[in-house]
Amino acid sequence: MTALADRPHIMETEHFEEAARILARLEEGARLELIDGKVKSKPMPDGDHGRIIQWLLRICMQHRPELFLDPNQGLKAETYRKGRLRPDASLVPCDAFVGQGEWADPDPVLMVVEVTSHDSDTDQRDRVEKPRAYARTGIPLYLLIDRQACQLVLYSEPDDGRYETVHTAPFGKVLHLPDPVGLTLDTEQLKDWVG
């Protein structure tokens, strides 16, 4: 599994989806993505990673109960190579993914969230490939919770395959998530889960 996922392979979307189904059955917890035509493996989250998603989920439930921060849904992405992405979470209207399969249409997604992992590929994947892929898909906001740099990076205003605005806030500061999300995050607690 590791050898396949660590070397870049160009493949058709249909072949990727079949390989992902097979590997998921063979290796519980296998999380594969297809970015720019290359198969990538995404590490399983650790406890601090999971706690950060719980923290954000609670905030969303308290302040935007009509929305759901879904930590499980895969998304169809990138029109050029028909990518498949597994964000750590997607903020959507509550029933947005009802009736969709493993790879959902990204149109109702208001924001995607990624939390950096402690692996060698996190720099390329979360800081370079994911912003480009999410912008190409037209997702309004991409929130990167960067545990290595102890900061949040908010990408907004997707246009022509890139985000026009990038705002950085260190852990401990307040970060406002603009429309269509419209939330303000007090990030002090994130200091406890750097890992």
Side-chain angles (χ1 to χ4, degrees):
M1 163 54 201
T2 302
L4 169 67
D6 289 343
R7 291 189 313 234
H9 294 278
I10 303 294
M11 69 171 41
E12 297 296 319
T13 303
E14 298 76 28
H15 296 128
F16 167 77
E17 288 180 350
E18 181 61 22
R21 277 192 291 276
I22 291 168
L23 285 171
R25 281 184 244 134
L26 293 176
E27 185 178 327
E28 186 174 325
R31 298 179 343 141
L32 297 180
E33 297 179 298
L34 184 63
I35 304 173
D36 284 333
K38 298 177 188 102
V39 176
K40 300 280 188 155
S41 65
K42 187 169 180 171
M44 293 303 295
D46 59 33
D48 290 334
H49 183 287
R51 185 62 181 98
I52 290 169
I53 296 298
Q54 289 174 356
W55 166 81
L56 190 55
L57 176 64
R58 285 177 189 250
I59 292 169
C60 292
M61 288 174 64
Q62 290 171 348
H63 299 283
R64 296 294 308 269
E66 76 282 11
L67 301 177
F68 178 60
L69 188 69
D70 191 319
N72 299 310
Q73 184 65 56
L75 298 176
K76 296 175 183 175
E78 304 177 300
T79 55
Y80 169 58
R81 285 209 169 115
K82 299 181 184 174
R84 299 292 183 262
L85 301 173
R86 292 192 184 281
D88 289 327
S90 300
L91 187 64
V92 294
C94 285
D95 292 333
F97 296 141
V98 171
Q100 301 221 24
E102 182 177 0
W103 305 102
D105 183 327
D107 286 346
V109 177
L110 305 176
M111 177 177 73
V112 288
V113 179
E114 296 286 354
V115 178
T116 57
S117 299
H118 299 294
D119 69 317
S120 62
D121 195 37
T122 199
D123 184 56
Q124 181 68 21
R125 183 183 58 250
D126 294 336
R127 298 181 187 107
V128 177
E129 295 169 342
K130 290 286 185 93
R132 186 173 54 228
Y134 292 137
R136 287 179 185 159
T137 305
I139 295 172
L141 300 175
Y142 168 39
L143 178 63
L144 174 62
I145 301 174
D146 191 330
R147 296 188 291 168
Q148 285 77 26
C150 295
Q151 65 184 11
L152 293 97
V153 183
L154 179 65
Y155 298 82
S156 61
E157 301 177 41
D159 184 42
D160 198 28
R162 69 185 190 92
Y163 285 105
E164 294 288 321
T165 303
V166 179
H167 180 76
T168 304
F171 288 179
K173 297 288 184 179
V174 171
L175 176 67
H176 178 70
L177 304 176
D179 288 338
V181 176
L183 285 174
T184 298
L185 303 176
D186 178 355
T187 69
E188 182 67 33
Q189 209 166 9
L190 291 176
K191 294 177 182 178
D192 296 336
W193 307 312
V194 173

